[in-house]
Amino acid sequence: MKSVKGKLLKKLKSIQPVGYLKPDRVLQVFAIDGFTDSFPKAPIPVQQPKLFTKESVSEQENIEQSAVQNHPEPEVIDVTELMKDLETDDDDDEDEEADKENITPNVEKVSAKLNCRQSCAPLSEMDVSCFRKPDLNSCTLFDPNLLAAFEQAVQAHMRMNEEERRARMERENLLEKKARTLEDSDENSRKGAEKKARVEEDCHEDANGDPLLGFEDKCPAGGDGSVILYTTTLKGIRKTFEDCNRLRFLLESFRVVFYERDVSMHTEYREELWSILGGKVVPPRLFIKGRYIGGADQVLSLHEQGKFKVLLNGIPADTCKGACEGCGGVRFVLCFVCNGSHKMIADDGLSSKCMQCNENGLIVCPLCC
């Protein structure tokens, strides 16, 4: 488009200016052809008195005729021819641009470049034997010594790559051997631990096969040949209270006779437990046939392993169909002497402690305990 505008401007500049318009070349436009006069007609002025004489008018006409004779006739421009020239120039420019866009690359040059790139192999993969010996009569070839040095460098590089590959393979093999030895050692240690555990289990059993002999001999009062469970009914410590309930439920599920001793309801039970185990221990604690089994964690672990039921062999079964009629399962009743006040009033009005009950005014149920 820029070239078209430039040519149009050049043609317009080449047109000579027109001095005046001839009446016969003025385009006549009428309203019947569809054109209207957009400018209002100027009113005809009132005729003024003539200020010039005939002589002055004739002189004026002579001057105009001489001016017309001096100026040449203006050139007539054919607009259709001008537009044809512009259209042909525009078409030529468009064809040139289209040709520039549609130019296809030279296939032979592109294929030659690709072949050259593909033929350039890495230095380590080149075949050194393919080098041609130089002609001594030619002055454009390399020095034979230089070619020999290059061949030695290539061979040395290939040897280094091979050595690195072998060293890497050796390191990988060494790491695999170490991993295998570690796995074997872990397997051996696991087997040793299992064997040791089996030996310890065997140590708990004697020649007759009694599993209770493997536990510590600590017998509470009246615990020979029976099951004694020390518990607490206080909820001060939640875990202790829940552990006591678990062991109680476990013994009840096996339907065996056991004696529960609540250390929170009777101080003598607490003192008895502390003296047996040699310290201020926390319930629950289980004793079977004069052997100390342990706390909640130890008993539940034996039950999960299936080793707790055999410890109850020889214990009489519980035939009761409900709670005790005397205590209702609490295992304590009010003292019959002081009626639970833990005080005795003499005839003279003096009071003293009741020696038949504990600090809470309770006695052990004579029916179930």
Side-chain angles (χ1 to χ4, degrees), residues 249-267:
F249 177 78
L250 180 62
L251 293 175
E252 290 176 353
S253 64
F254 284 109
R255 303 293 297 174
V256 294
V257 177
F258 68 96
Y259 301 96
E260 183 177 356
R261 297 181 178 180
D262 192 349
V263 297
S264 63
M265 299 290 290
H266 198 29
T267 308

Side-chain angles (χ1 to χ4, degrees), residues 45-326:
V46 182
Q47 188 175 2
Q48 297 292 334
K50 296 181 179 180
L51 299 178
F52 300 98
T53 59
K54 292 181 178 180
E55 295 178 356
S56 60
V57 172
S58 62
E59 291 177 359
Q60 185 73 20
E61 291 177 354
N62 293 332
I63 292 170
E64 291 177 356
Q65 289 178 1
S66 62
V68 171
Q69 291 176 359
N70 293 331
H71 290 283
E73 186 177 357
E75 182 182 359
V76 179
I77 301 172
D78 191 356
V79 179
T80 58
E81 294 180 359
L82 180 61
M83 294 303 294
K84 285 181 181 179
D85 295 338
L86 292 177
E87 289 177 358
T88 55
D89 295 338
D90 192 4
D91 294 338
D92 295 339
D93 295 337
E94 291 179 355
D95 293 339
E96 291 177 359
E97 292 178 358
D99 293 338
K100 289 180 180 179
E101 294 178 355
N102 296 327
I103 291 175
T104 57
N106 193 349
V107 180
E108 295 179 357
K109 293 182 179 180
V110 173
S111 62
K113 290 182 179 180
L114 292 175
N115 293 331
C116 181
R117 290 178 181 177
Q118 293 177 359
S119 62
C120 295
L123 184 61
S124 60
E125 298 179 1
M126 287 185 178
D127 187 7
V128 183
S129 62
C130 67
F131 292 122
R132 180 172 57 86
K133 292 184 179 181
D135 188 5
L136 300 178
N137 296 327
S138 177
C139 61
T140 58
L141 297 178
F142 290 103
D143 188 1
N145 296 329
L146 181 60
L147 292 176
F150 178 73
E151 181 179 355
Q152 292 179 0
V154 171
Q155 292 178 355
H157 180 71
M158 294 176 67
R159 285 195 299 271
M160 290 174 62
N161 290 339
E162 184 66 21
E163 291 176 357
E164 290 178 357
R165 187 179 64 82
R166 290 178 180 176
R168 184 173 64 253
M169 292 178 65
E170 290 178 357
R171 287 195 300 269
E172 291 177 356
N173 294 332
L174 183 60
L175 292 175
E176 290 179 358
K177 290 180 181 179
K178 288 183 179 180
R180 290 197 198 96
T181 53
L182 289 175
E183 291 178 358
D184 295 339
S185 61
D186 294 339
E187 185 68 19
N188 294 332
S189 61
R190 185 178 61 82
K191 291 180 179 179
E194 292 178 355
K195 186 177 180 180
K196 184 178 180 181
R198 286 194 298 270
V199 171
E200 291 178 355
E201 292 175 1
D202 296 338
C203 292
H204 290 303
E205 300 180 359
D206 60 349
N208 297 327
D210 189 1
L212 286 174
L213 297 177
F215 294 94
E216 190 176 359
D217 185 9
K218 290 184 177 181
C219 182
D224 191 10
S226 61
V227 178
I228 306 296
L229 175 63
Y230 289 90
T231 61
T232 180
T233 55
L234 293 179
K235 299 181 180 180
I237 300 175
R238 182 176 180 179
K239 185 178 183 306
T240 302
F241 179 74
E242 291 179 352
D243 290 343
C244 294
N245 291 337
R246 289 192 186 98
L247 289 189
R248 185 186 303 111
F249 177 78
L250 180 62
L251 293 175
E252 290 176 353
S253 64
F254 284 109
R255 303 293 297 174
V256 294
V257 177
F258 68 96
Y259 301 96
E260 183 177 356
R261 297 181 178 180
D262 192 349
V263 297
S264 63
M265 299 290 290
H266 198 29
T267 308
E268 292 183 2
Y269 288 161
R270 184 180 62 187
E271 297 295 336
E272 185 181 55
L273 177 63
W274 288 359
S275 63
I276 293 172
L277 298 180
K280 296 182 178 181
V281 295
V282 180
R285 301 291 168 173
L286 182 64
F287 296 85
I288 299 177
K289 297 181 180 181
R291 299 283 180 172
Y292 174 60
I293 307 302
D297 295 337
Q298 290 82 0
V299 174
L300 293 176
S301 177
L302 291 172
H303 176 62
E304 290 176 356
Q305 297 175 10
K307 301 177 182 179
F308 180 71
K309 187 176 180 179
V310 295
L311 301 178
L312 300 175
N313 293 334
I315 304 298
D318 187 8
T319 58
C320 297
K321 297 182 180 180
C324 178
E325 296 179 357

Side-chain angles (χ1 to χ4, degrees), residues 337-358:
V337 178
C338 64
N339 294 326
S341 63
H342 192 51
K343 290 182 180 180
M344 295 293 293
I345 299 175
D347 295 337
D348 55 359
L350 297 176
S351 62
S352 61
K353 291 182 179 181
C354 179
M355 303 304 294
Q356 301 296 326
C357 60
N358 60 12

